[in-house]
């Protein structure tokens, strides 16, 4: 530019004030937007919860009995259906969805690739292998399956991470490829276990493996609730460091973040969240993949992790309501519906110009 | 691994395999094939003494339980294993040559899942049954899925086309298997049957050898003369055109034969991954990039791998057996991971 248009260059003080003003209003707008999104999602979740409890799936309860039963005024079958079957099922869907969404967003933010979610890179398959082992060989072990799932996912994470290291760095696509390979062997192992299982444990394991919340009971909900709270707190603590890591390793170190420690913590947290959810409701596919990018689009990357949990909860709960009540197809396992929804999205992600640029 | 050069994006002309080397490898793989076949017939959950095996083989009309086991179960099963393995080995090599992708394998790219989905569709909607009906359904499904995966795979921006094709395969396989679940979830009988079939295995499949054999033989015979075409195609489209080849037509023909082989295998035993991948790579390591040699060697190695894996699966447990798909995954996964780790594969 050769001629400086003086009219557009105001003096120093007004510029600073203007910038401050603009920043503040942008921040306010963002906060408003976040508040609006969270409120809407919360309303959607409450609506879905009500729908799930009222509509149910198997086992018809007269709608006029539902409300009295919900307030403890009616006992018997309606009470049993509501409190032993529908409410735990709805809560399990909600909480597991939140965990899947959380784990996906953490991985996507850390690895900076929307494809790198725990279910795509095989960590859920490792959790599945661990949980199936316990289901079949030690079914009486209290909380054995969640613990085994977490162990299995950590072992698989260590293997995948070690195998994809190359000259000091982790190559995202190699990580995804190796994860796909490792999940093949975990699935083969799980399949093998199923063929040697006795009839009873087979039924339990099979129902679980398709990814369905139908088997959830209050024990499972307790595990999920404790897991969601713990993982949520860890995610809040980690979010700042993850944010500075998104600026690049050097800048993050300069800002006082311990890069290796943050990376390890995020990897373990994401794996643990996915494994906990998987151990209770089975591998409900593609939820962690979809939730993160939607959250980023709605509120931006720095607030995406928390919102992704809400979106994951809405997706699994919505898919479960649909799976129980949709005409023609119901009842079907929840996992089949989320995969049908998520896989085309996955295709869209790999077809887009620069999939790594979104997070 | 430097002799797998046709996989690079700008391949040098495939080196001709010296016929002495090719013959040596071919003879050695034939000997191994026979040894594996003998092992597969002679070994199993029920131990039958070698002398008795020979006497039973010499006397096809003999009676007795061992004779029954051998003639109705082990022998058909062994030959089925050979046919399916050869089909997968051939299919894997042709797919790798056509896509120039070292990770191509009918199982990994989801083509077997697609074939399975169409088989289930036929069972649920039209009540079809029998291996011949399954075969045609599997063929349609495999062709459809192959086209779909290929179309998605070549348009991806996932770092390299190699990775893109695998990711497309994963996505399509996920859609196909969730469609299968939707179709069978309410029908427990179909589900129980499918659960058994969806883990690829040879157990109890001996009786379908007669039905599947024509398809397998036709497919393998069609595939054998493809070596020269694949050699020319691997030079790149323009060179191939200059040499007087109709590129599109021959590529389509080769792909159709690969799909035919893969559909045959899937209709016979269900999805078995990694056999084509491992066989094709080992074949190229042994005889180099010349497809006239590597294609038949890959078929032989596929047959050896599948039959050996099946025999080993019968022996590893005292009680019961491990399905062949599980055994091949145990062999194939380390191989796949090793390939994925190689430096020249993943380009960002």
């Amino acid at each position: 530019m050769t001629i400086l248009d003086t009219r557009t260059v105001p003096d120093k003080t007004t510029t600073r004030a203007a910038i401050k003003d603009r920043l503040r209003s942008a921040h306010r707008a963002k906060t408003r937007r976040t508040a609006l999104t969270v409120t809407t999602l919360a309303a959607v979740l409450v609506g879905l919860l009500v729908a799930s409890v009222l509509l149910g799936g198997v086992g018809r309860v007269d709608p006029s009995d539902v409300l009295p039963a919900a307030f403890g005024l009616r006992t018997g079958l309606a009470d049993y259906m509501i409190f032993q079957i529908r409410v735990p099922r709805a809560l399990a869907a909600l909480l597991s969805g939140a965990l899947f969404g959380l784990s996906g967003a953490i991985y996507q933010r850390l690895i900076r690739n929307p494809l790198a979610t725990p279910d795509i890179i095989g960590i859920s398959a490792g959790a599945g292998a661990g949980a199936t082992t316990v289901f079949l060989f030690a079914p009486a072990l209290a909380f054995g399956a969640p613990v085994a799932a977490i162990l299995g996912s950590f072992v698989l994470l260590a293997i995948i991470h070690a195998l994809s290291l190359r000259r000091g760095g982790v190559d995202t696509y190699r990580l995804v490829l190796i994860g796909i390979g490792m999940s093949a062997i975990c699935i083969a192992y799980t399949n093998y276990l199923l063929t040697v299982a006795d009839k009873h444990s087979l039924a339990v394991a099979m129902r679980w493996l398709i990814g369905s919340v139908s088997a959830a009971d209050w024990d499972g909900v307790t595990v999920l609730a404790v897991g969601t709270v713990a993982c949520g707190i860890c995610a809040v603590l980690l979010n700042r460091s993850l944010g500075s890591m998104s600026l690049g390793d050097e800048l993050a170190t300069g800002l006082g973040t311990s890069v290796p420690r943050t990376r390890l913590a995020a990897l373990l947290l994401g794996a643990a969240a996915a494994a906990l959810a998987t151990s209770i409701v089975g591998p409900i596919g593609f939820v962690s993949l979809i939730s993160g990018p939607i959250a980023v689009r709605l509120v931006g990357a720095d607030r995406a992790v928390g919102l992704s949990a809400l979106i994951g909860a809405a997706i699994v709960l919505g898919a479960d309501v649909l799976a129980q009540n949709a005409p023609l197809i119901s009842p079907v396992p929840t996992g089949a519906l989320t995969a049908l929804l998520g896989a085309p999205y996955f295709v869209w992600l790999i077809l887009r110009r620069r999939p790594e640029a979104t997070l | 691994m430097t002799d797998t050069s046709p996989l690079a994006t700008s391949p040098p002309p495939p080196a001709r395999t010296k016929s002495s080397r090719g013959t040596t490898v071919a003879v050695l793989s034939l000997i191994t094939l026979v040894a594996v076949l003998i092992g597969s017939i002679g070994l199993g959950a029920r131990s039958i003494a070698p002398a008795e095996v020979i006497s039973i083989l010499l006397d096809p009309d003999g009676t007795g339980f061992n004779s029954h086991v051998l003639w109705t179960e082990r022998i058909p099963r062994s030959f089925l294993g050979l046919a399916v393995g050869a089909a997968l080995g051939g299919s894997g090599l042709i797919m790798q040559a056509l896509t120039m992708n070292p990770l191509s394998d009918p199982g990994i790219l989801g083509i077997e899942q697609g074939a399975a989905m169409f088989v289930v569709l036929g069972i649920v909607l039209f009540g079809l049954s029998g291996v011949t009906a399954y075969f045609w359904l599997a063929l349609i499904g495999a062709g459809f899925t192959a086209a779909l995966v290929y179309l998605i795979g070549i348009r991806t921006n996932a770092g390299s086309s190699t990775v893109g094709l695998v990711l497309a395969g994963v996505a399509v396989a996920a859609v196909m298997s969730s469609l299968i679940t939707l179709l069978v979830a309410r029908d427990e009988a179909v589900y129980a049957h499918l659960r058994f079939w969806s883990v690829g295995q040879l157990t109890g499949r001996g009786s379908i050898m007669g039905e599947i054999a024509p398809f397998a033989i036709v497919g393998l015979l069609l595939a054998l003369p493809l070596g020269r075409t694949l050699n020319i195609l691997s030079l790149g489209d323009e060179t191939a055109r200059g040499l007087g080849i109709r590129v599109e037509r021959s590529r389509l023909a080769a792909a159709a034969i690969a799909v035919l082989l893969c559909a045959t295998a899937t209709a016979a035993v269900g999805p078995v991954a990694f056999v084509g991948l491992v066989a094709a790579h080992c074949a190229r390591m042994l005889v180099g990039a010349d497809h006239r040699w590597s294609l038949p060697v890959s078929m032989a190695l596929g047959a050896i791998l599948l039959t050996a894996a099946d025999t080993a699966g019968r022996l590893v447990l005292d009680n019961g057996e491990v399905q062949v798909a599980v055994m091949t995954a145990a062999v194939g996964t380390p191989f796949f991971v090793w390939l994925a780790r190689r430096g020249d594969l993943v380009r960002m």
Side-chain angles (χ1 to χ4, degrees):
Chain A
M1 211 187 279
T2 46
I3 304 163
L4 204 67
D5 188 349
T6 47
R7 281 167 306 173
T8 60
V9 184
D11 62 279
K12 230 176 180 176
T13 47
T14 49
T15 327
R16 197 175 282 168
I19 289 174
K20 243 185 194 168
D21 240 28
R22 204 176 307 153
L23 275 178
R24 206 172 285 151
S25 71
H27 186 261
R28 231 181 275 135
K30 209 170 173 186
T31 308
R32 251 202 316 275
R33 198 172 163 171
T34 311
L36 188 71
T37 319
V38 170
T39 318
T40 317
L41 268 173
V44 168
L45 278 176
V46 170
L48 284 172
L49 266 177
V50 171
S52 178
V53 172
L54 284 184
L55 293 171
V58 283
R60 296 281 154 215
V61 175
D62 195 348
S64 63
D65 285 349
V66 168
L67 276 180
F71 291 106
L73 297 174
R74 181 104 20 124
T75 50
L77 182 66
D79 178 63
Y80 177 81
M81 285 298 296
I82 302 292
F83 284 103
Q84 298 305 317
I85 294 181
R86 290 189 186 174
V87 172
R89 178 174 184 156
L91 287 179
L94 184 92
L95 294 168
S96 62
L99 283 172
F100 280 127
L102 189 75
S103 73
I106 290 174
Y107 268 51
Q108 287 167 332
R109 195 145 190 229
L110 179 73
I111 303 175
R112 265 174 268 157
N113 186 321
L115 299 175
T117 58
D119 52 347
I120 303 293
I121 70 171
I123 286 169
S124 300
T132 318
T133 311
V134 169
F135 272 139
L136 299 186
F137 294 121
L141 212 62
F143 300 121
V147 173
I150 293 182
L151 281 181
S153 73
F154 282 0
V155 168
L156 204 72
L157 173 67
I159 294 173
I160 295 170
H161 194 262
L163 285 175
S164 50
L165 271 178
R166 206 182 165 88
R167 291 188 206 101
V170 171
D171 173 9
T172 313
Y173 282 110
R174 185 171 285 116
L175 188 82
V176 174
L177 272 185
I178 290 173
I180 288 170
M182 292 306 294
S183 59
I185 203 165
C186 285
I187 290 166
Y189 167 75
T190 314
N191 277 337
Y192 157 70
L193 282 187
L194 288 182
T195 60
V196 297
D198 66 86
K199 226 171 182 179
H200 174 67
S201 16
L202 185 70
V204 176
M206 209 105 112
R207 192 169 40 183
W208 174 84
L209 267 178
I210 319 171
S212 174
V213 294
S214 63
D217 51 13
W218 281 110
D219 283 350
V221 172
T222 314
V223 173
L224 284 174
V226 173
T228 311
V229 171
C231 292
I233 293 172
C234 295
V236 169
L237 295 177
L238 257 183
N239 197 31
R240 229 187 129 78
S241 318
L242 274 177
S244 54
M245 271 182 70
S246 67
L247 301 170
D249 289 1
E250 275 151 42
L251 258 177
T253 313
L255 287 170
T257 305
S258 165
V259 172
R261 202 182 297 161
T262 310
R263 181 174 291 139
L264 182 70
L267 283 174
L268 289 180
L269 175 62
L276 263 174
T278 308
S279 74
I280 304 296
V281 300
I284 294 186
F286 292 99
V287 177
S288 50
L289 181 85
I290 318 174
S291 311
I294 295 179
V296 171
R297 184 154 295 189
L298 286 175
V299 295
D302 50 339
R303 300 173 187 196
V305 175
L307 194 72
S308 173
L310 284 182
I311 293 173
I315 289 174
V316 176
L317 194 54
D320 189 45
V321 172
L322 209 63
Q324 291 182 77
N325 297 296
L328 294 177
I329 54 164
S330 71
V332 288
T334 320
L337 280 188
T338 58
L340 213 55
L341 205 79
Y345 178 75
F346 182 85
V347 169
W348 183 72
L349 272 183
I350 55 176
L351 289 180
R352 256 183 355 164
R353 286 241 151 250
R354 287 158 55 80
E356 63 271 41
T358 50
L359 283 161
Chain B
M1 279 303 291
T2 45
D3 52 358
T4 57
S5 46
L7 305 171
T9 40
S10 55
R16 282 167 153 258
T17 302
K18 280 193 190 126
S19 54
S20 61
R21 185 180 176 192
T23 318
T24 317
V25 171
V27 169
L28 280 179
S29 28
L30 274 181
I31 293 173
T32 320
L33 196 65
V34 173
V36 167
L37 182 63
I38 293 172
S40 173
I41 292 176
L43 301 169
R46 181 181 176 83
S47 51
I48 305 174
E52 199 185 346
V53 170
I54 292 169
S55 73
I56 292 172
L57 288 180
L58 292 175
D59 175 25
D61 302 320
T63 50
F65 189 63
N66 282 348
S67 173
H68 182 75
V69 166
L70 222 56
W71 282 108
T72 60
E73 189 50 47
R74 275 202 211 156
I75 291 174
R77 176 179 180 160
S78 305
F79 280 101
L80 184 68
L82 290 187
V84 168
L88 289 172
S91 180
L93 189 92
I94 297 172
M95 281 185 191
Q96 291 188 2
L98 287 179
T99 58
M100 299 201 177
N101 182 342
L103 297 182
S104 287
D105 171 271
I108 292 163
L109 295 188
I111 295 167
E112 291 178 351
Q113 283 294 340
M117 206 283 278
F118 274 67
V119 171
V120 173
L121 205 66
I123 299 174
V124 172
L125 294 185
F126 306 111
L128 295 175
S129 64
V131 178
T132 316
Y134 287 2
F135 170 78
W136 292 111
L137 289 167
L139 187 63
I140 299 168
F144 173 76
T145 317
L148 190 65
V149 170
Y150 183 70
L151 285 178
I152 297 173
I154 54 169
R155 282 175 174 72
T156 57
N157 293 284
S160 73
S161 64
T162 311
V163 185
L165 208 57
V166 176
L167 292 178
V170 169
V172 171
V175 171
M176 293 299 176
S177 55
S178 62
L179 284 176
I180 291 177
T181 314
L182 284 182
L183 283 170
V184 302
R186 281 182 303 168
D187 194 334
E188 295 221 344
V190 177
Y191 188 69
H193 178 71
L194 183 86
R195 197 71 212 166
F196 185 69
W197 188 67
S198 67
V199 185
Q201 57 182 347
L202 288 163
T203 320
R205 300 283 162 81
S207 54
I208 62 172
M209 182 61 205
E211 280 186 82
I212 215 70
F215 300 114
I217 290 168
V218 168
L220 291 172
L221 287 180
L222 282 173
L224 272 177
L226 275 181
R228 193 176 154 271
T229 318
L230 290 179
N231 274 351
I232 296 176
L233 283 177
S234 70
L235 297 172
D237 288 3
E238 266 141 55
T239 320
R241 244 177 235 121
L243 288 168
I245 285 262
R246 292 172 194 235
V247 173
E248 279 76 24
R249 189 188 288 183
S250 32
R251 185 170 286 150
L252 199 65
I257 293 168
V259 165
L260 172 71
L261 288 172
C262 156
T264 314
T266 310
V269 299
V272 178
F274 293 116
V275 173
L277 182 89
V278 175
H281 280 280
C282 292
R284 271 194 302 264
M285 279 182 226
L286 289 172
V287 294
D290 189 342
H291 293 94
R292 288 173 307 169
W293 287 101
S294 63
L295 186 57
V297 170
S298 177
M299 289 177 187
L301 292 181
I304 292 171
L305 179 63
L306 195 80
T307 317
D310 183 47
T311 313
R314 276 181 258 161
L315 297 175
V316 288
L317 292 184
D318 289 338
N319 190 9
E321 53 182 72
V322 181
Q323 293 80 7
V324 68
V326 176
M327 296 298 289
T328 57
V331 181
T333 302
F335 201 89
F336 182 88
V337 168
W338 174 67
L339 284 173
R341 266 177 67 79
R342 277 173 52 204
D344 54 342
L345 187 64
V346 182
R347 284 184 206 86
M348 292 294 286

